[in-house]
Amino acid sequence: MADGNLSALQAARNEAYSTPLEQIDVSLGERFQTNTMWPFFERLRHEAPVHYCANSEFGPFWSITRYHDIVAVETNHAVFSSAAGVSIVEQAEDFTLPMFIAMDPPKHDAQRKVIAPIVMPHNLQNLEPIIRERAGKILDDLPIGETFDWVDRVSVELTTQMLATLFDFPFDERRKLTYWSDLTVTETEGMTEQEVRAELMNCAFYFQNLWNQRKDGPPANDLISMLAHGESTRDMPLMEFLGNILLLIVGGNDTTRNSISGGLLALNQYPDEYAKVRADPSLITNMVPEIIRWQTPVAHMRRTATEDIEFGGKTIRKGDKVIMWYVSGNRDETAIENPDAFILGRERPRQHLSFGFGIHRCVGNRLAEMQLRVVWEEILKRFPFIEVVDEPVRLKSSFLRAYRQMNVRIPARAQDAP
Ligand code: HEM
């Protein structure tokens, strides 16, 4: 395995291959936090690619770990439904947030159609110079020769600025977006459920205010205006409005953020690849999807069976929870050559599962790729090398493969930096 702490990985490998198969539980957040989940997935792919875990913190669930099986589940959305939620964590019954990622056709399709234009080629072209300018400013302010946290100074700041742009959100208040996003998926430590809900309702009211201003104005190219004018979204009840807003905040935030951090880590772990892209920045176009595959920021999506079905030699029962582990599918050697390695110049770098597959395939995928391309173009213009100085701090979650902190040092600016 190419990444992670080697002795911890060896211990995990021993454990993965000595634990009885039926007792393996790949949903443990601790293993993602220590980056030691890989051998468990490897064993499941080889020995039990459709695997039942009877007991876990999240109840019983099926794991789908091979690339082509994940594609098969994603494309059979009549049997594998999104309506009961898309994460292994159950939603609270008294605080459900409908959002189109957790809907089936036809409602899913109608709502997705409303916001899809935000990522049309002409819109991406309009966004690119803004993102480039903002990325440049953030990078120009970075200290030279000092250790600092790349996650906060670069990854979070850049993605937050982009989100504020997409929503046409008050720019000075943009860290509210980061806060609500973190609150939705990860950072609720020390808060009661009531406190979290109250904060999320503040988010709803804040956006409702913006919505009210935009719905009476002419249709514009920001996400709030699109939802406010869209035929299938303009009359959403408050909770559905909040759900879809949170989907767009989270969808565009954690994912791109962790790809920016993960890319830097990958280049540090593969110095030859770093040297290649430094010598030939045109490789960035090929590097971006490889970063997204290697990082796999969304580790899994969940479906729920709507009827009994034979799948991979097993009987999945109606109502069973089915977890598609993208993080494993992206390391499946029967679909991707030498999948553990970070390689620039793969023939088909966009062949990966990090954006999912089928009708829910990430609507923001081209936007995310463009953003990462621009960021790396601007980084390489300015800094020949950025060193990750110690092991990053990872999030304890089997849903998001995320970094909370990554200490880096920039030894010097490029001689011809802009
Ligand atoms: C590297 C960055 C990103 C990754 C890895 C990522 C990953 C994903 C994944 C795994 C899904 C679910 C796919 C499935 O169920 O088949 C998804 C859906 C979605 N993503 Fe992204 N995403 C990224 C960036 C973005 C951005 C920038 C946006 C922008 C606004 C966005 C908005 C969405 C939305 C709205 C959905 C729901 C689509 C649907 O249900 O039809 N994502 N994304």
mmCIF file of all heavy atoms in Angstrom, residues 74 100-102 108 112 115 118-119 162-163 166 223 247-248 251-253 255-256 259 292 296-298 301 303 324 326 353-365 367-368 371-372, ligand 1:
data_model
loop_
_atom_site.group_PDB
_atom_site.id
_atom_site.type_symbol
_atom_site.label_atom_id
_atom_site.label_comp_id
_atom_site.label_asym_id
_atom_site.label_seq_id
_atom_site.Cartn_x
_atom_site.Cartn_y
_atom_site.Cartn_z
ATOM 1 N N GLU A 74 -25.607 1.025 -8.845
ATOM 2 C CA GLU A 74 -25.950 2.415 -9.208
ATOM 3 C C GLU A 74 -26.941 2.460 -10.375
ATOM 4 O O GLU A 74 -27.781 3.346 -10.429
ATOM 5 C CB GLU A 74 -24.684 3.177 -9.636
ATOM 6 C CG GLU A 74 -23.720 3.459 -8.507
ATOM 7 C CD GLU A 74 -23.797 4.889 -8.011
ATOM 8 O OE1 GLU A 74 -24.846 5.533 -8.176
ATOM 9 O OE2 GLU A 74 -22.807 5.343 -7.424
ATOM 10 N N PHE A 100 -32.513 16.346 -3.251
ATOM 11 C CA PHE A 100 -32.724 15.497 -4.426
ATOM 12 C C PHE A 100 -31.723 14.363 -4.550
ATOM 13 O O PHE A 100 -31.971 13.388 -5.235
ATOM 14 C CB PHE A 100 -32.875 16.323 -5.707
ATOM 15 C CG PHE A 100 -31.662 17.037 -6.215
ATOM 16 C CD1 PHE A 100 -30.752 16.393 -7.033
ATOM 17 C CD2 PHE A 100 -31.447 18.376 -5.917
ATOM 18 C CE1 PHE A 100 -29.646 17.057 -7.520
ATOM 19 C CE2 PHE A 100 -30.337 19.055 -6.399
ATOM 20 C CZ PHE A 100 -29.433 18.390 -7.207
ATOM 21 N N ILE A 101 -30.574 14.450 -3.858
ATOM 22 C CA ILE A 101 -29.646 13.320 -3.897
ATOM 23 C C ILE A 101 -30.293 12.098 -3.214
ATOM 24 O O ILE A 101 -29.978 10.952 -3.525
ATOM 25 C CB ILE A 101 -28.298 13.677 -3.208
ATOM 26 C CG1 ILE A 101 -27.208 12.657 -3.604
ATOM 27 C CG2 ILE A 101 -28.421 13.743 -1.693
ATOM 28 C CD1 ILE A 101 -25.800 13.052 -3.179
ATOM 29 N N ALA A 102 -31.214 12.360 -2.295
ATOM 30 C CA ALA A 102 -31.881 11.279 -1.572
ATOM 31 C C ALA A 102 -33.320 11.111 -2.065
ATOM 32 O O ALA A 102 -34.250 10.957 -1.287
ATOM 33 C CB ALA A 102 -31.846 11.556 -0.070
ATOM 34 N N HIS A 108 -36.481 13.338 -8.367
ATOM 35 C CA HIS A 108 -35.043 13.593 -8.424
ATOM 36 C C HIS A 108 -34.659 14.270 -9.735
ATOM 37 O O HIS A 108 -33.973 15.296 -9.754
ATOM 38 C CB HIS A 108 -34.246 12.282 -8.274
ATOM 39 C CG HIS A 108 -32.852 12.394 -8.816
ATOM 40 N ND1 HIS A 108 -32.524 12.049 -10.114
ATOM 41 C CD2 HIS A 108 -31.713 12.884 -8.271
ATOM 42 C CE1 HIS A 108 -31.234 12.302 -10.331
ATOM 43 N NE2 HIS A 108 -30.725 12.801 -9.230
ATOM 44 N N ARG A 112 -32.979 17.976 -10.146
ATOM 45 C CA ARG A 112 -31.587 18.033 -10.629
ATOM 46 C C ARG A 112 -31.489 18.941 -11.856
ATOM 47 O O ARG A 112 -30.534 19.696 -12.012
ATOM 48 C CB ARG A 112 -31.097 16.615 -10.951
ATOM 49 C CG ARG A 112 -29.689 16.574 -11.529
ATOM 50 C CD ARG A 112 -29.232 15.158 -11.784
ATOM 51 N NE ARG A 112 -28.043 15.151 -12.610
ATOM 52 C CZ ARG A 112 -26.872 14.636 -12.256
ATOM 53 N NH1 ARG A 112 -26.726 14.058 -11.091
ATOM 54 N NH2 ARG A 112 -25.847 14.669 -13.078
ATOM 55 N N ILE A 115 -30.854 22.807 -11.338
ATOM 56 C CA ILE A 115 -29.548 23.404 -11.010
ATOM 57 C C ILE A 115 -28.426 22.985 -11.977
ATOM 58 O O ILE A 115 -27.337 23.542 -11.940
ATOM 59 C CB ILE A 115 -29.135 23.137 -9.551
ATOM 60 C CG1 ILE A 115 -28.964 21.642 -9.290
ATOM 61 C CG2 ILE A 115 -30.089 23.714 -8.551
ATOM 62 C CD1 ILE A 115 -27.548 21.353 -8.996
ATOM 63 N N ILE A 118 -25.873 25.393 -13.884
ATOM 64 C CA ILE A 118 -24.754 26.087 -13.225
ATOM 65 C C ILE A 118 -23.411 25.526 -13.693
ATOM 66 O O ILE A 118 -22.399 26.205 -13.663
ATOM 67 C CB ILE A 118 -24.873 26.010 -11.670
ATOM 68 C CG1 ILE A 118 -23.898 26.967 -10.959
ATOM 69 C CG2 ILE A 118 -24.637 24.619 -11.146
ATOM 70 C CD1 ILE A 118 -24.465 28.268 -10.586
ATOM 71 N N VAL A 119 -23.424 24.282 -14.158
ATOM 72 C CA VAL A 119 -22.158 23.687 -14.592
ATOM 73 C C VAL A 119 -22.089 23.486 -16.116
ATOM 74 O O VAL A 119 -21.287 22.697 -16.607
ATOM 75 C CB VAL A 119 -21.881 22.347 -13.864
ATOM 76 C CG1 VAL A 119 -21.555 22.587 -12.409
ATOM 77 C CG2 VAL A 119 -23.066 21.407 -13.974
ATOM 78 N N MET A 162 -15.358 29.728 -3.555
ATOM 79 C CA MET A 162 -16.061 29.291 -4.756
ATOM 80 C C MET A 162 -17.554 29.101 -4.478
ATOM 81 O O MET A 162 -18.399 29.493 -5.264
ATOM 82 C CB MET A 162 -15.483 27.985 -5.278
ATOM 83 C CG MET A 162 -16.142 27.610 -6.586
ATOM 84 S SD MET A 162 -16.034 25.869 -6.951
ATOM 85 C CE MET A 162 -16.951 25.147 -5.634
ATOM 86 N N LEU A 163 -17.858 28.529 -3.318
ATOM 87 C CA LEU A 163 -19.272 28.334 -2.966
ATOM 88 C C LEU A 163 -19.999 29.665 -2.865
ATOM 89 O O LEU A 163 -21.123 29.806 -3.341
ATOM 90 C CB LEU A 163 -19.374 27.631 -1.616
ATOM 91 C CG LEU A 163 -19.481 26.117 -1.605
ATOM 92 C CD1 LEU A 163 -19.721 25.655 -0.183
ATOM 93 C CD2 LEU A 163 -20.626 25.640 -2.495
ATOM 94 N N LEU A 166 -20.864 30.684 -6.231
ATOM 95 C CA LEU A 166 -21.962 29.929 -6.853
ATOM 96 C C LEU A 166 -23.330 30.355 -6.320
ATOM 97 O O LEU A 166 -24.315 30.372 -7.039
ATOM 98 C CB LEU A 166 -21.807 28.428 -6.584
ATOM 99 C CG LEU A 166 -20.652 27.700 -7.266
ATOM 100 C CD1 LEU A 166 -20.679 26.232 -6.903
ATOM 101 C CD2 LEU A 166 -20.715 27.868 -8.769
ATOM 102 N N LEU A 223 -27.105 29.823 -7.765
ATOM 103 C CA LEU A 223 -27.910 28.656 -7.388
ATOM 104 C C LEU A 223 -29.211 29.027 -6.675
ATOM 105 O O LEU A 223 -30.236 28.377 -6.880
ATOM 106 C CB LEU A 223 -27.082 27.728 -6.481
ATOM 107 C CG LEU A 223 -25.989 26.920 -7.196
ATOM 108 C CD1 LEU A 223 -25.058 26.262 -6.184
ATOM 109 C CD2 LEU A 223 -26.600 25.854 -8.106
ATOM 110 N N LEU A 247 -27.427 20.249 0.611
ATOM 111 C CA LEU A 247 -26.830 19.340 -0.381
ATOM 112 C C LEU A 247 -25.814 20.096 -1.238
ATOM 113 O O LEU A 247 -24.701 19.633 -1.484
ATOM 114 C CB LEU A 247 -27.932 18.743 -1.283
ATOM 115 C CG LEU A 247 -27.461 18.082 -2.580
ATOM 116 C CD1 LEU A 247 -26.552 16.882 -2.292
ATOM 117 C CD2 LEU A 247 -28.655 17.624 -3.424
ATOM 118 N N LEU A 248 -26.200 21.294 -1.669
ATOM 119 C CA LEU A 248 -25.303 22.057 -2.548
ATOM 120 C C LEU A 248 -24.095 22.587 -1.778
ATOM 121 O O LEU A 248 -22.981 22.630 -2.306
ATOM 122 C CB LEU A 248 -26.072 23.207 -3.207
ATOM 123 C CG LEU A 248 -27.125 22.721 -4.213
ATOM 124 C CD1 LEU A 248 -28.098 23.825 -4.572
ATOM 125 C CD2 LEU A 248 -26.461 22.184 -5.476
ATOM 126 N N GLY A 251 -22.071 19.308 -0.977
ATOM 127 C CA GLY A 251 -21.604 18.714 -2.233
ATOM 128 C C GLY A 251 -20.404 19.452 -2.783
ATOM 129 O O GLY A 251 -19.457 18.846 -3.276
ATOM 130 N N GLY A 252 -20.450 20.765 -2.707
ATOM 131 C CA GLY A 252 -19.372 21.537 -3.314
ATOM 132 C C GLY A 252 -18.249 21.872 -2.349
ATOM 133 O O GLY A 252 -17.249 22.453 -2.753
ATOM 134 N N ASN A 253 -18.376 21.504 -1.097
ATOM 135 C CA ASN A 253 -17.425 22.003 -0.104
ATOM 136 C C ASN A 253 -16.390 20.968 0.315
ATOM 137 O O ASN A 253 -15.238 21.010 -0.082
ATOM 138 C CB ASN A 253 -18.217 22.509 1.106
ATOM 139 C CG ASN A 253 -17.353 23.275 2.067
ATOM 140 O OD1 ASN A 253 -16.438 23.979 1.663
ATOM 141 N ND2 ASN A 253 -17.617 23.128 3.335
ATOM 142 N N THR A 255 -15.852 17.961 -0.531
ATOM 143 C CA THR A 255 -15.293 17.133 -1.598
ATOM 144 C C THR A 255 -14.101 17.813 -2.275
ATOM 145 O O THR A 255 -13.008 17.266 -2.326
ATOM 146 C CB THR A 255 -16.397 16.893 -2.627
ATOM 147 O OG1 THR A 255 -16.962 18.165 -2.962
ATOM 148 C CG2 THR A 255 -17.472 15.986 -2.092
ATOM 149 N N THR A 256 -14.331 19.032 -2.732
ATOM 150 C CA THR A 256 -13.258 19.748 -3.430
ATOM 151 C C THR A 256 -12.149 20.092 -2.437
ATOM 152 O O THR A 256 -10.963 19.987 -2.748
ATOM 153 C CB THR A 256 -13.817 21.033 -4.085
ATOM 154 O OG1 THR A 256 -15.049 20.696 -4.722
ATOM 155 C CG2 THR A 256 -12.871 21.579 -5.115
ATOM 156 N N SER A 259 -9.972 17.183 -1.931
ATOM 157 C CA SER A 259 -9.175 16.872 -3.122
ATOM 158 C C SER A 259 -7.978 17.818 -3.204
ATOM 159 O O SER A 259 -6.898 17.418 -3.644
ATOM 160 C CB SER A 259 -10.004 17.024 -4.397
ATOM 161 O OG SER A 259 -11.122 16.180 -4.339
ATOM 162 N N ILE A 292 -8.546 12.938 -7.788
ATOM 163 C CA ILE A 292 -9.908 12.693 -7.299
ATOM 164 C C ILE A 292 -10.133 11.188 -7.083
ATOM 165 O O ILE A 292 -10.768 10.771 -6.122
ATOM 166 C CB ILE A 292 -10.945 13.299 -8.274
ATOM 167 C CG1 ILE A 292 -10.784 14.828 -8.294
ATOM 168 C CG2 ILE A 292 -12.371 12.926 -7.874
ATOM 169 C CD1 ILE A 292 -11.575 15.547 -9.374
ATOM 170 N N THR A 296 -10.600 9.870 -3.357
ATOM 171 C CA THR A 296 -11.994 9.419 -3.156
ATOM 172 C C THR A 296 -12.609 10.138 -1.948
ATOM 173 O O THR A 296 -12.838 9.540 -0.882
ATOM 174 C CB THR A 296 -12.095 7.878 -2.993
ATOM 175 O OG1 THR A 296 -11.258 7.242 -3.955
ATOM 176 C CG2 THR A 296 -13.523 7.402 -3.183
ATOM 177 N N PRO A 297 -12.922 11.433 -2.100
ATOM 178 C CA PRO A 297 -13.389 12.219 -0.943
ATOM 179 C C PRO A 297 -14.698 11.703 -0.336
ATOM 180 O O PRO A 297 -14.898 11.819 0.864
ATOM 181 C CB PRO A 297 -13.607 13.616 -1.527
ATOM 182 C CG PRO A 297 -12.845 13.653 -2.802
ATOM 183 C CD PRO A 297 -12.812 12.250 -3.324
ATOM 184 N N VAL A 298 -15.595 11.145 -1.177
ATOM 185 C CA VAL A 298 -16.817 10.542 -0.622
ATOM 186 C C VAL A 298 -16.561 9.030 -0.603
ATOM 187 O O VAL A 298 -16.499 8.392 -1.642
ATOM 188 C CB VAL A 298 -18.042 10.860 -1.509
ATOM 189 C CG1 VAL A 298 -19.299 10.211 -0.935
ATOM 190 C CG2 VAL A 298 -18.235 12.370 -1.629
ATOM 191 N N MET A 301 -21.618 5.704 -0.744
ATOM 192 C CA MET A 301 -23.014 6.138 -0.813
ATOM 193 C C MET A 301 -23.846 4.923 -0.461
ATOM 194 O O MET A 301 -23.422 3.784 -0.667
ATOM 195 C CB MET A 301 -23.380 6.607 -2.228
ATOM 196 C CG MET A 301 -22.941 8.005 -2.558
ATOM 197 S SD MET A 301 -24.118 9.226 -1.925
ATOM 198 C CE MET A 301 -23.030 10.592 -1.617
ATOM 199 N N ARG A 303 -27.627 2.797 -0.573
ATOM 200 C CA ARG A 303 -28.927 2.574 -1.188
ATOM 201 C C ARG A 303 -29.713 1.644 -0.279
ATOM 202 O O ARG A 303 -29.145 1.002 0.607
ATOM 203 C CB ARG A 303 -28.780 1.929 -2.589
ATOM 204 C CG ARG A 303 -27.994 2.755 -3.595
ATOM 205 C CD ARG A 303 -28.732 4.033 -4.002
ATOM 206 N NE ARG A 303 -28.029 4.772 -5.044
ATOM 207 C CZ ARG A 303 -27.252 5.832 -4.819
ATOM 208 N NH1 ARG A 303 -27.077 6.300 -3.596
ATOM 209 N NH2 ARG A 303 -26.667 6.460 -5.829
ATOM 210 N N MET A 324 -22.264 1.190 -1.048
ATOM 211 C CA MET A 324 -21.330 1.098 -2.183
ATOM 212 C C MET A 324 -20.055 1.819 -1.769
ATOM 213 O O MET A 324 -20.057 3.051 -1.594
ATOM 214 C CB MET A 324 -21.916 1.803 -3.408
ATOM 215 C CG MET A 324 -23.300 1.316 -3.797
ATOM 216 S SD MET A 324 -23.948 2.260 -5.184
ATOM 217 C CE MET A 324 -24.256 3.865 -4.463
ATOM 218 N N TYR A 326 -17.068 3.379 -2.675
ATOM 219 C CA TYR A 326 -16.266 3.927 -3.790
ATOM 220 C C TYR A 326 -14.778 3.821 -3.484
ATOM 221 O O TYR A 326 -13.958 3.618 -4.371
ATOM 222 C CB TYR A 326 -16.597 5.409 -4.004
ATOM 223 C CG TYR A 326 -18.036 5.712 -4.342
ATOM 224 C CD1 TYR A 326 -18.673 6.822 -3.791
ATOM 225 C CD2 TYR A 326 -18.754 4.920 -5.237
ATOM 226 C CE1 TYR A 326 -19.982 7.133 -4.112
ATOM 227 C CE2 TYR A 326 -20.067 5.230 -5.564
ATOM 228 C CZ TYR A 326 -20.678 6.336 -4.998
ATOM 229 O OH TYR A 326 -21.980 6.652 -5.310
ATOM 230 N N LEU A 353 -14.728 5.975 -9.611
ATOM 231 C CA LEU A 353 -16.076 6.046 -9.019
ATOM 232 C C LEU A 353 -16.249 7.207 -8.042
ATOM 233 O O LEU A 353 -17.278 7.291 -7.375
ATOM 234 C CB LEU A 353 -16.381 4.727 -8.297
ATOM 235 C CG LEU A 353 -16.517 3.504 -9.208
ATOM 236 C CD1 LEU A 353 -16.588 2.228 -8.375
ATOM 237 C CD2 LEU A 353 -17.762 3.623 -10.083
ATOM 238 N N SER A 354 -15.259 8.080 -7.958
ATOM 239 C CA SER A 354 -15.349 9.139 -6.938
ATOM 240 C C SER A 354 -16.563 10.038 -7.123
ATOM 241 O O SER A 354 -17.044 10.635 -6.159
ATOM 242 C CB SER A 354 -14.090 10.004 -6.968
ATOM 243 O OG SER A 354 -12.989 9.226 -6.625
ATOM 244 N N PHE A 355 -17.052 10.168 -8.360
ATOM 245 C CA PHE A 355 -18.251 10.977 -8.605
ATOM 246 C C PHE A 355 -19.506 10.114 -8.654
ATOM 247 O O PHE A 355 -20.587 10.599 -9.025
ATOM 248 C CB PHE A 355 -18.128 11.728 -9.934
ATOM 249 C CG PHE A 355 -17.099 12.836 -9.939
ATOM 250 C CD1 PHE A 355 -16.126 12.907 -10.929
ATOM 251 C CD2 PHE A 355 -17.108 13.829 -8.964
ATOM 252 C CE1 PHE A 355 -15.193 13.936 -10.949
ATOM 253 C CE2 PHE A 355 -16.172 14.861 -8.976
ATOM 254 C CZ PHE A 355 -15.216 14.917 -9.970
ATOM 255 N N GLY A 356 -19.405 8.832 -8.306
ATOM 256 C CA GLY A 356 -20.556 7.940 -8.411
ATOM 257 C C GLY A 356 -20.781 7.536 -9.856
ATOM 258 O O GLY A 356 -19.858 7.636 -10.698
ATOM 259 N N PHE A 357 -22.012 7.116 -10.150
ATOM 260 C CA PHE A 357 -22.322 6.603 -11.489
ATOM 261 C C PHE A 357 -23.826 6.676 -11.664
ATOM 262 O O PHE A 357 -24.567 6.653 -10.694
ATOM 263 C CB PHE A 357 -21.829 5.139 -11.568
ATOM 264 C CG PHE A 357 -21.701 4.613 -12.970
ATOM 265 C CD1 PHE A 357 -20.532 4.807 -13.696
ATOM 266 C CD2 PHE A 357 -22.753 3.929 -13.579
ATOM 267 C CE1 PHE A 357 -20.409 4.329 -14.989
ATOM 268 C CE2 PHE A 357 -22.648 3.453 -14.866
ATOM 269 C CZ PHE A 357 -21.469 3.646 -15.580
ATOM 270 N N GLY A 358 -24.295 6.757 -12.919
ATOM 271 C CA GLY A 358 -25.747 6.689 -13.150
ATOM 272 C C GLY A 358 -26.454 7.998 -12.889
ATOM 273 O O GLY A 358 -25.852 9.073 -12.983
ATOM 274 N N ILE A 359 -27.725 7.917 -12.524
ATOM 275 C CA ILE A 359 -28.557 9.134 -12.498
ATOM 276 C C ILE A 359 -28.142 10.142 -11.413
ATOM 277 O O ILE A 359 -28.460 11.313 -11.505
ATOM 278 C CB ILE A 359 -30.067 8.817 -12.332
ATOM 279 C CG1 ILE A 359 -30.328 8.043 -11.046
ATOM 280 C CG2 ILE A 359 -30.609 8.076 -13.539
ATOM 281 C CD1 ILE A 359 -31.803 8.005 -10.676
ATOM 282 N N HIS A 360 -27.431 9.670 -10.382
ATOM 283 C CA HIS A 360 -27.004 10.595 -9.329
ATOM 284 C C HIS A 360 -25.559 11.057 -9.499
ATOM 285 O O HIS A 360 -25.038 11.774 -8.639
ATOM 286 C CB HIS A 360 -27.158 9.942 -7.952
ATOM 287 C CG HIS A 360 -28.580 9.783 -7.524
ATOM 288 N ND1 HIS A 360 -29.307 10.819 -6.988
ATOM 289 C CD2 HIS A 360 -29.408 8.716 -7.570
ATOM 290 C CE1 HIS A 360 -30.541 10.382 -6.713
ATOM 291 N NE2 HIS A 360 -30.622 9.114 -7.056
ATOM 292 N N ARG A 361 -24.912 10.592 -10.577
ATOM 293 C CA ARG A 361 -23.497 10.963 -10.753
ATOM 294 C C ARG A 361 -23.330 12.460 -10.520
ATOM 295 O O ARG A 361 -24.135 13.278 -10.971
ATOM 296 C CB ARG A 361 -23.035 10.587 -12.162
ATOM 297 C CG ARG A 361 -21.550 10.860 -12.392
ATOM 298 C CD ARG A 361 -21.131 10.360 -13.770
ATOM 299 N NE ARG A 361 -20.055 11.171 -14.324
ATOM 300 C CZ ARG A 361 -18.761 10.999 -14.054
ATOM 301 N NH1 ARG A 361 -18.383 10.016 -13.265
ATOM 302 N NH2 ARG A 361 -17.855 11.792 -14.572
ATOM 303 N N CYS A 362 -22.280 12.795 -9.798
ATOM 304 C CA CYS A 362 -22.095 14.164 -9.314
ATOM 305 C C CYS A 362 -22.374 15.218 -10.388
ATOM 306 O O CYS A 362 -21.733 15.235 -11.437
ATOM 307 C CB CYS A 362 -20.675 14.345 -8.796
ATOM 308 S SG CYS A 362 -20.365 16.026 -8.274
ATOM 309 N N VAL A 363 -23.287 16.100 -10.056
ATOM 310 C CA VAL A 363 -23.671 17.139 -11.007
ATOM 311 C C VAL A 363 -22.557 18.200 -11.118
ATOM 312 O O VAL A 363 -22.435 18.885 -12.123
ATOM 313 C CB VAL A 363 -25.040 17.722 -10.591
ATOM 314 C CG1 VAL A 363 -24.907 18.710 -9.473
ATOM 315 C CG2 VAL A 363 -25.779 18.323 -11.741
ATOM 316 N N GLY A 364 -21.719 18.278 -10.084
ATOM 317 C CA GLY A 364 -20.675 19.320 -10.072
ATOM 318 C C GLY A 364 -19.325 18.814 -10.555
ATOM 319 O O GLY A 364 -18.314 19.496 -10.357
ATOM 320 N N ASN A 365 -19.287 17.634 -11.204
ATOM 321 C CA ASN A 365 -17.969 17.034 -11.472
ATOM 322 C C ASN A 365 -17.059 17.891 -12.352
ATOM 323 O O ASN A 365 -15.875 18.026 -12.088
ATOM 324 C CB ASN A 365 -18.110 15.586 -11.973
ATOM 325 C CG ASN A 365 -18.615 15.469 -13.399
ATOM 326 O OD1 ASN A 365 -17.859 15.590 -14.345
ATOM 327 N ND2 ASN A 365 -19.907 15.239 -13.549
ATOM 328 N N LEU A 367 -17.168 21.105 -12.710
ATOM 329 C CA LEU A 367 -16.810 22.294 -11.944
ATOM 330 C C LEU A 367 -15.655 21.966 -10.983
ATOM 331 O O LEU A 367 -14.686 22.719 -10.864
ATOM 332 C CB LEU A 367 -18.042 22.767 -11.163
ATOM 333 C CG LEU A 367 -17.845 23.873 -10.146
ATOM 334 C CD1 LEU A 367 -17.345 25.139 -10.822
ATOM 335 C CD2 LEU A 367 -19.155 24.171 -9.415
ATOM 336 N N ALA A 368 -15.764 20.827 -10.307
ATOM 337 C CA ALA A 368 -14.714 20.424 -9.365
ATOM 338 C C ALA A 368 -13.394 20.243 -10.111
ATOM 339 O O ALA A 368 -12.343 20.712 -9.653
ATOM 340 C CB ALA A 368 -15.116 19.131 -8.665
ATOM 341 N N GLN A 371 -11.939 23.605 -11.074
ATOM 342 C CA GLN A 371 -11.392 24.306 -9.929
ATOM 343 C C GLN A 371 -10.012 23.741 -9.547
ATOM 344 O O GLN A 371 -9.065 24.490 -9.312
ATOM 345 C CB GLN A 371 -12.355 24.193 -8.752
ATOM 346 C CG GLN A 371 -12.066 25.232 -7.701
ATOM 347 C CD GLN A 371 -12.803 24.978 -6.401
ATOM 348 O OE1 GLN A 371 -13.542 24.011 -6.274
ATOM 349 N NE2 GLN A 371 -12.608 25.825 -5.440
ATOM 350 N N LEU A 372 -9.911 22.432 -9.529
ATOM 351 C CA LEU A 372 -8.636 21.812 -9.158
ATOM 352 C C LEU A 372 -7.552 22.107 -10.211
ATOM 353 O O LEU A 372 -6.393 22.332 -9.864
ATOM 354 C CB LEU A 372 -8.810 20.302 -8.999
ATOM 355 C CG LEU A 372 -9.580 19.904 -7.730
ATOM 356 C CD1 LEU A 372 -9.993 18.444 -7.787
ATOM 357 C CD2 LEU A 372 -8.728 20.153 -6.502
HETATM 358 C C1 HEM B 1 -14.045 16.401 -6.121
HETATM 359 C C2 HEM B 1 -15.206 16.914 -5.887
HETATM 360 C C3 HEM B 1 -16.500 16.158 -5.762
HETATM 361 C C4 HEM B 1 -16.724 14.836 -5.486
HETATM 362 C C5 HEM B 1 -15.693 13.743 -5.227
HETATM 363 C C6 HEM B 1 -18.155 14.637 -5.468
HETATM 364 C C7 HEM B 1 -18.774 13.408 -5.228
HETATM 365 C C8 HEM B 1 -20.130 13.168 -5.379
HETATM 366 C C9 HEM B 1 -20.765 11.873 -5.243
HETATM 367 C C10 HEM B 1 -20.052 10.584 -4.882
HETATM 368 C C11 HEM B 1 -22.086 12.037 -5.487
HETATM 369 C C12 HEM B 1 -23.174 10.935 -5.459
HETATM 370 C C13 HEM B 1 -23.094 10.117 -6.722
HETATM 371 C C14 HEM B 1 -23.984 8.915 -6.776
HETATM 372 O O1 HEM B 1 -24.809 8.681 -5.884
HETATM 373 O O2 HEM B 1 -23.878 8.181 -7.781
HETATM 374 C C15 HEM B 1 -22.298 13.441 -5.758
HETATM 375 C C16 HEM B 1 -23.526 14.002 -6.035
HETATM 376 C C17 HEM B 1 -23.725 15.363 -6.092
HETATM 377 N N1 HEM B 1 -22.750 16.352 -6.095
HETATM 378 FE FE1 HEM B 1 -20.765 16.085 -6.018
HETATM 379 N N2 HEM B 1 -18.777 15.829 -5.714
HETATM 380 C C18 HEM B 1 -17.799 16.789 -5.906
HETATM 381 C C19 HEM B 1 -18.006 18.132 -6.198
HETATM 382 C C20 HEM B 1 -19.231 18.731 -6.293
HETATM 383 C C21 HEM B 1 -19.436 20.135 -6.551
HETATM 384 C C22 HEM B 1 -18.342 21.172 -6.792
HETATM 385 C C23 HEM B 1 -20.775 20.335 -6.519
HETATM 386 C C24 HEM B 1 -21.436 21.677 -6.747
HETATM 387 C C25 HEM B 1 -22.243 22.315 -6.537
HETATM 388 C C26 HEM B 1 -21.424 19.053 -6.261
HETATM 389 C C27 HEM B 1 -22.786 18.824 -6.162
HETATM 390 C C28 HEM B 1 -23.379 17.576 -6.133
HETATM 391 C C29 HEM B 1 -24.823 17.362 -6.168
HETATM 392 C C30 HEM B 1 -25.877 18.448 -6.230
HETATM 393 C C31 HEM B 1 -25.033 15.982 -6.149
HETATM 394 C C32 HEM B 1 -26.376 15.225 -6.219
HETATM 395 C C33 HEM B 1 -26.601 14.710 -7.636
HETATM 396 C C34 HEM B 1 -27.837 13.865 -7.814
HETATM 397 O O3 HEM B 1 -28.345 13.275 -6.857
HETATM 398 O O4 HEM B 1 -28.328 13.807 -8.949
HETATM 399 N N3 HEM B 1 -20.449 18.111 -6.127
HETATM 400 N N4 HEM B 1 -21.091 14.108 -5.698
#
